[in-house]
Amino acid sequence: MSGVPASAAGRPAPAPGVRRVRLWNIANILTMGRLFLVPGFVLLMLHNGGYDPAWRSFAWAAFAIAMITDLFDGHLARTYNLVTDFGKIADPIADKAIMGAALLCLSALDDLPWWVTGVILAREIGITLMRFWVIKHGVIPASRGGKMKTLAQGVATGMYILALEGPLATIRFWVMAVAVVLTVVTGLDYVRQAIVLRANARAAESGR
């Protein structure tokens, strides 16, 4: 130890009570793991023509791992104060990447209508861009409906990835129908919240 204060040695002293969050923490590592799973999932999904039940099961396992880690990385980041700017950007990208890859593969294999994939992806990308559009005015929190939408999408997509037949194939159709309805309804609600948030912010600025 030199006994010289950090500020005197030319290094900025950390603010008291502020803990620096490392970029490579467990939450961000899980997020990156999800991103790396995407190409592996696609290879498993399309292997042997895309209709092999065994390989579809492996693809489902990769998809399930991605969905589970999505729950864990957010919980860890909030619980242990591991939130970083990188995580805020990478986490939603990882979510959209694995879901988008699954939906595109399913539609390419004619297992899922293209309009379903189009509606879901348009909503997810549009809402993400809208959040960035209004972020300077405030943050639109995730609603209960949004969480139900995410759950329904994950379950429905997972059921379509598996080579299901008979009653289970019928059930997955209705689960996907619920997911599409929730996707549209919650998307419209987020648009409403964004318009209100932006209008209130402008009103507050003009009233100064």
Side-chain angles (χ1 to χ4, degrees), residues 6-27:
S7 57
R11 301 189 303 272
V18 176
R19 182 174 69 87
R20 292 185 60 185
V21 179
R22 295 176 57 187
L23 176 62
W24 291 112
N25 57 60
I26 184 62

PDB file of all heavy atoms in Angstrom, residues 6-27:
ATOM      1  N   ALA A   6      -6.770   7.380  -3.653  1.00  0.00           N
ATOM      2  CA  ALA A   6      -6.996   7.050  -5.055  1.00  0.00           C
ATOM      3  C   ALA A   6      -7.123   8.296  -5.904  1.00  0.00           C
ATOM      4  O   ALA A   6      -6.617   8.368  -7.019  1.00  0.00           O
ATOM      5  CB  ALA A   6      -8.267   6.191  -5.192  1.00  0.00           C
ATOM      6  N   SER A   7      -7.795   9.344  -5.369  1.00  0.00           N
ATOM      7  CA  SER A   7      -7.986  10.558  -6.149  1.00  0.00           C
ATOM      8  C   SER A   7      -6.669  11.264  -6.389  1.00  0.00           C
ATOM      9  O   SER A   7      -6.430  11.832  -7.448  1.00  0.00           O
ATOM     10  CB  SER A   7      -8.967  11.498  -5.428  1.00  0.00           C
ATOM     11  OG  SER A   7      -8.487  11.787  -4.123  1.00  0.00           O
ATOM     12  N   ALA A   8      -5.753  11.213  -5.398  1.00  0.00           N
ATOM     13  CA  ALA A   8      -4.465  11.875  -5.546  1.00  0.00           C
ATOM     14  C   ALA A   8      -3.580  11.117  -6.512  1.00  0.00           C
ATOM     15  O   ALA A   8      -2.678  11.675  -7.136  1.00  0.00           O
ATOM     16  CB  ALA A   8      -3.768  11.975  -4.181  1.00  0.00           C
ATOM     17  N   ALA A   9      -3.803   9.827  -6.672  1.00  0.00           N
ATOM     18  CA  ALA A   9      -2.987   9.031  -7.575  1.00  0.00           C
ATOM     19  C   ALA A   9      -3.516   9.066  -9.003  1.00  0.00           C
ATOM     20  O   ALA A   9      -3.028   8.368  -9.874  1.00  0.00           O
ATOM     21  CB  ALA A   9      -2.954   7.574  -7.094  1.00  0.00           C
ATOM     22  N   GLY A  10      -4.542   9.888  -9.230  1.00  0.00           N
ATOM     23  CA  GLY A  10      -5.079  10.018 -10.584  1.00  0.00           C
ATOM     24  C   GLY A  10      -6.184   9.046 -10.895  1.00  0.00           C
ATOM     25  O   GLY A  10      -6.637   8.968 -12.033  1.00  0.00           O
ATOM     26  N   ARG A  11      -6.656   8.278  -9.905  1.00  0.00           N
ATOM     27  CA  ARG A  11      -7.736   7.333 -10.121  1.00  0.00           C
ATOM     28  C   ARG A  11      -8.972   7.837  -9.403  1.00  0.00           C
ATOM     29  O   ARG A  11      -8.897   8.229  -8.233  1.00  0.00           O
ATOM     30  CB  ARG A  11      -7.367   5.937  -9.587  1.00  0.00           C
ATOM     31  CG  ARG A  11      -6.138   5.335 -10.224  1.00  0.00           C
ATOM     32  CD  ARG A  11      -5.979   3.871  -9.804  1.00  0.00           C
ATOM     33  NE  ARG A  11      -5.919   3.738  -8.352  1.00  0.00           N
ATOM     34  CZ  ARG A  11      -4.780   3.811  -7.657  1.00  0.00           C
ATOM     35  NH1 ARG A  11      -3.628   4.065  -8.272  1.00  0.00           N
ATOM     36  NH2 ARG A  11      -4.786   3.648  -6.348  1.00  0.00           N
ATOM     37  N   PRO A  12     -10.109   7.832 -10.067  1.00  0.00           N
ATOM     38  CA  PRO A  12     -11.324   8.315  -9.411  1.00  0.00           C
ATOM     39  C   PRO A  12     -11.722   7.403  -8.261  1.00  0.00           C
ATOM     40  O   PRO A  12     -11.709   6.185  -8.396  1.00  0.00           O
ATOM     41  CB  PRO A  12     -12.381   8.275 -10.531  1.00  0.00           C
ATOM     42  CG  PRO A  12     -11.860   7.254 -11.494  1.00  0.00           C
ATOM     43  CD  PRO A  12     -10.359   7.368 -11.422  1.00  0.00           C
ATOM     44  N   ALA A  13     -12.018   7.995  -7.134  1.00  0.00           N
ATOM     45  CA  ALA A  13     -12.430   7.210  -5.965  1.00  0.00           C
ATOM     46  C   ALA A  13     -13.876   6.805  -6.119  1.00  0.00           C
ATOM     47  O   ALA A  13     -14.708   7.581  -6.578  1.00  0.00           O
ATOM     48  CB  ALA A  13     -12.258   8.038  -4.687  1.00  0.00           C
ATOM     49  N   PRO A  14     -14.216   5.565  -5.787  1.00  0.00           N
ATOM     50  CA  PRO A  14     -15.603   5.125  -5.922  1.00  0.00           C
ATOM     51  C   PRO A  14     -16.499   5.869  -4.940  1.00  0.00           C
ATOM     52  O   PRO A  14     -16.087   6.204  -3.831  1.00  0.00           O
ATOM     53  CB  PRO A  14     -15.536   3.632  -5.579  1.00  0.00           C
ATOM     54  CG  PRO A  14     -14.310   3.482  -4.747  1.00  0.00           C
ATOM     55  CD  PRO A  14     -13.347   4.499  -5.253  1.00  0.00           C
ATOM     56  N   ALA A  15     -17.718   6.170  -5.383  1.00  0.00           N
ATOM     57  CA  ALA A  15     -18.656   6.871  -4.517  1.00  0.00           C
ATOM     58  C   ALA A  15     -19.001   5.994  -3.327  1.00  0.00           C
ATOM     59  O   ALA A  15     -19.149   4.779  -3.470  1.00  0.00           O
ATOM     60  CB  ALA A  15     -19.927   7.216  -5.300  1.00  0.00           C
ATOM     61  N   PRO A  16     -19.107   6.593  -2.144  1.00  0.00           N
ATOM     62  CA  PRO A  16     -19.422   5.792  -0.967  1.00  0.00           C
ATOM     63  C   PRO A  16     -20.780   5.124  -1.092  1.00  0.00           C
ATOM     64  O   PRO A  16     -21.753   5.734  -1.510  1.00  0.00           O
ATOM     65  CB  PRO A  16     -19.417   6.833   0.170  1.00  0.00           C
ATOM     66  CG  PRO A  16     -19.633   8.152  -0.515  1.00  0.00           C
ATOM     67  CD  PRO A  16     -18.968   8.020  -1.844  1.00  0.00           C
ATOM     68  N   GLY A  17     -20.843   3.844  -0.732  1.00  0.00           N
ATOM     69  CA  GLY A  17     -22.107   3.113  -0.750  1.00  0.00           C
ATOM     70  C   GLY A  17     -22.491   2.565  -2.109  1.00  0.00           C
ATOM     71  O   GLY A  17     -23.530   1.950  -2.259  1.00  0.00           O
ATOM     72  N   VAL A  18     -21.660   2.814  -3.150  1.00  0.00           N
ATOM     73  CA  VAL A  18     -21.972   2.337  -4.487  1.00  0.00           C
ATOM     74  C   VAL A  18     -21.092   1.142  -4.820  1.00  0.00           C
ATOM     75  O   VAL A  18     -19.869   1.227  -4.757  1.00  0.00           O
ATOM     76  CB  VAL A  18     -21.762   3.457  -5.538  1.00  0.00           C
ATOM     77  CG1 VAL A  18     -21.999   2.902  -6.944  1.00  0.00           C
ATOM     78  CG2 VAL A  18     -22.699   4.620  -5.266  1.00  0.00           C
ATOM     79  N   ARG A  19     -21.715   0.027  -5.187  1.00  0.00           N
ATOM     80  CA  ARG A  19     -20.972  -1.173  -5.538  1.00  0.00           C
ATOM     81  C   ARG A  19     -20.993  -1.355  -7.048  1.00  0.00           C
ATOM     82  O   ARG A  19     -22.040  -1.363  -7.676  1.00  0.00           O
ATOM     83  CB  ARG A  19     -21.604  -2.399  -4.872  1.00  0.00           C
ATOM     84  CG  ARG A  19     -20.862  -3.698  -5.136  1.00  0.00           C
ATOM     85  CD  ARG A  19     -21.477  -4.815  -4.322  1.00  0.00           C
ATOM     86  NE  ARG A  19     -22.798  -5.157  -4.808  1.00  0.00           N
ATOM     87  CZ  ARG A  19     -23.029  -6.044  -5.784  1.00  0.00           C
ATOM     88  NH1 ARG A  19     -22.023  -6.666  -6.361  1.00  0.00           N
ATOM     89  NH2 ARG A  19     -24.259  -6.320  -6.171  1.00  0.00           N
ATOM     90  N   ARG A  20     -19.785  -1.454  -7.616  1.00  0.00           N
ATOM     91  CA  ARG A  20     -19.695  -1.650  -9.049  1.00  0.00           C
ATOM     92  C   ARG A  20     -20.140  -3.073  -9.406  1.00  0.00           C
ATOM     93  O   ARG A  20     -19.760  -4.035  -8.757  1.00  0.00           O
ATOM     94  CB  ARG A  20     -18.263  -1.424  -9.536  1.00  0.00           C
ATOM     95  CG  ARG A  20     -17.799   0.007  -9.435  1.00  0.00           C
ATOM     96  CD  ARG A  20     -16.420   0.170 -10.043  1.00  0.00           C
ATOM     97  NE  ARG A  20     -16.439  -0.201 -11.454  1.00  0.00           N
ATOM     98  CZ  ARG A  20     -15.341  -0.255 -12.210  1.00  0.00           C
ATOM     99  NH1 ARG A  20     -14.153   0.011 -11.672  1.00  0.00           N
ATOM    100  NH2 ARG A  20     -15.423  -0.593 -13.479  1.00  0.00           N
ATOM    101  N   VAL A  21     -20.976  -3.185 -10.442  1.00  0.00           N
ATOM    102  CA  VAL A  21     -21.474  -4.485 -10.884  1.00  0.00           C
ATOM    103  C   VAL A  21     -20.601  -4.971 -12.035  1.00  0.00           C
ATOM    104  O   VAL A  21     -20.415  -4.275 -13.025  1.00  0.00           O
ATOM    105  CB  VAL A  21     -22.944  -4.383 -11.346  1.00  0.00           C
ATOM    106  CG1 VAL A  21     -23.435  -5.755 -11.818  1.00  0.00           C
ATOM    107  CG2 VAL A  21     -23.812  -3.853 -10.231  1.00  0.00           C
ATOM    108  N   ARG A  22     -20.045  -6.161 -11.871  1.00  0.00           N
ATOM    109  CA  ARG A  22     -19.194  -6.720 -12.915  1.00  0.00           C
ATOM    110  C   ARG A  22     -20.026  -7.077 -14.132  1.00  0.00           C
ATOM    111  O   ARG A  22     -21.145  -7.579 -14.021  1.00  0.00           O
ATOM    112  CB  ARG A  22     -18.478  -7.966 -12.403  1.00  0.00           C
ATOM    113  CG  ARG A  22     -17.490  -7.699 -11.283  1.00  0.00           C
ATOM    114  CD  ARG A  22     -16.902  -9.008 -10.775  1.00  0.00           C
ATOM    115  NE  ARG A  22     -16.257  -9.760 -11.855  1.00  0.00           N
ATOM    116  CZ  ARG A  22     -15.790 -10.993 -11.715  1.00  0.00           C
ATOM    117  NH1 ARG A  22     -15.898 -11.613 -10.547  1.00  0.00           N
ATOM    118  NH2 ARG A  22     -15.219 -11.604 -12.734  1.00  0.00           N
ATOM    119  N   LEU A  23     -19.459  -6.819 -15.324  1.00  0.00           N
ATOM    120  CA  LEU A  23     -20.168  -7.136 -16.556  1.00  0.00           C
ATOM    121  C   LEU A  23     -20.420  -8.632 -16.668  1.00  0.00           C
ATOM    122  O   LEU A  23     -21.523  -9.080 -16.979  1.00  0.00           O
ATOM    123  CB  LEU A  23     -19.355  -6.647 -17.762  1.00  0.00           C
ATOM    124  CG  LEU A  23     -19.932  -6.996 -19.145  1.00  0.00           C
ATOM    125  CD1 LEU A  23     -21.293  -6.354 -19.326  1.00  0.00           C
ATOM    126  CD2 LEU A  23     -18.974  -6.558 -20.249  1.00  0.00           C
ATOM    127  N   TRP A  24     -19.384  -9.449 -16.389  1.00  0.00           N
ATOM    128  CA  TRP A  24     -19.525 -10.891 -16.513  1.00  0.00           C
ATOM    129  C   TRP A  24     -19.978 -11.499 -15.190  1.00  0.00           C
ATOM    130  O   TRP A  24     -19.229 -12.151 -14.490  1.00  0.00           O
ATOM    131  CB  TRP A  24     -18.217 -11.519 -16.992  1.00  0.00           C
ATOM    132  CG  TRP A  24     -17.929 -11.137 -18.411  1.00  0.00           C
ATOM    133  CD1 TRP A  24     -16.924 -10.334 -18.860  1.00  0.00           C
ATOM    134  CD2 TRP A  24     -18.695 -11.493 -19.555  1.00  0.00           C
ATOM    135  NE1 TRP A  24     -17.011 -10.178 -20.217  1.00  0.00           N
ATOM    136  CE2 TRP A  24     -18.084 -10.883 -20.685  1.00  0.00           C
ATOM    137  CE3 TRP A  24     -19.831 -12.280 -19.762  1.00  0.00           C
ATOM    138  CZ2 TRP A  24     -18.581 -11.021 -21.975  1.00  0.00           C
ATOM    139  CZ3 TRP A  24     -20.330 -12.408 -21.054  1.00  0.00           C
ATOM    140  CH2 TRP A  24     -19.695 -11.800 -22.133  1.00  0.00           C
ATOM    141  N   ASN A  25     -21.226 -11.225 -14.851  1.00  0.00           N
ATOM    142  CA  ASN A  25     -21.817 -11.844 -13.669  1.00  0.00           C
ATOM    143  C   ASN A  25     -22.707 -13.004 -14.125  1.00  0.00           C
ATOM    144  O   ASN A  25     -22.944 -13.212 -15.318  1.00  0.00           O
ATOM    145  CB  ASN A  25     -22.609 -10.812 -12.854  1.00  0.00           C
ATOM    146  CG  ASN A  25     -23.694 -10.132 -13.682  1.00  0.00           C
ATOM    147  OD1 ASN A  25     -24.595 -10.780 -14.205  1.00  0.00           O
ATOM    148  ND2 ASN A  25     -23.605  -8.805 -13.802  1.00  0.00           N
ATOM    149  N   ILE A  26     -23.223 -13.749 -13.175  1.00  0.00           N
ATOM    150  CA  ILE A  26     -23.963 -14.972 -13.489  1.00  0.00           C
ATOM    151  C   ILE A  26     -25.210 -14.685 -14.329  1.00  0.00           C
ATOM    152  O   ILE A  26     -25.566 -15.462 -15.224  1.00  0.00           O
ATOM    153  CB  ILE A  26     -24.346 -15.733 -12.179  1.00  0.00           C
ATOM    154  CG1 ILE A  26     -25.039 -17.054 -12.512  1.00  0.00           C
ATOM    155  CG2 ILE A  26     -25.210 -14.865 -11.291  1.00  0.00           C
ATOM    156  CD1 ILE A  26     -24.188 -18.019 -13.286  1.00  0.00           C
ATOM    157  N   ALA A  27     -25.865 -13.549 -14.068  1.00  0.00           N
ATOM    158  CA  ALA A  27     -27.074 -13.217 -14.830  1.00  0.00           C
ATOM    159  C   ALA A  27     -26.744 -12.978 -16.301  1.00  0.00           C
ATOM    160  O   ALA A  27     -27.419 -13.496 -17.199  1.00  0.00           O
ATOM    161  CB  ALA A  27     -27.745 -11.980 -14.231  1.00  0.00           C
TER     162      ALA A  27
END
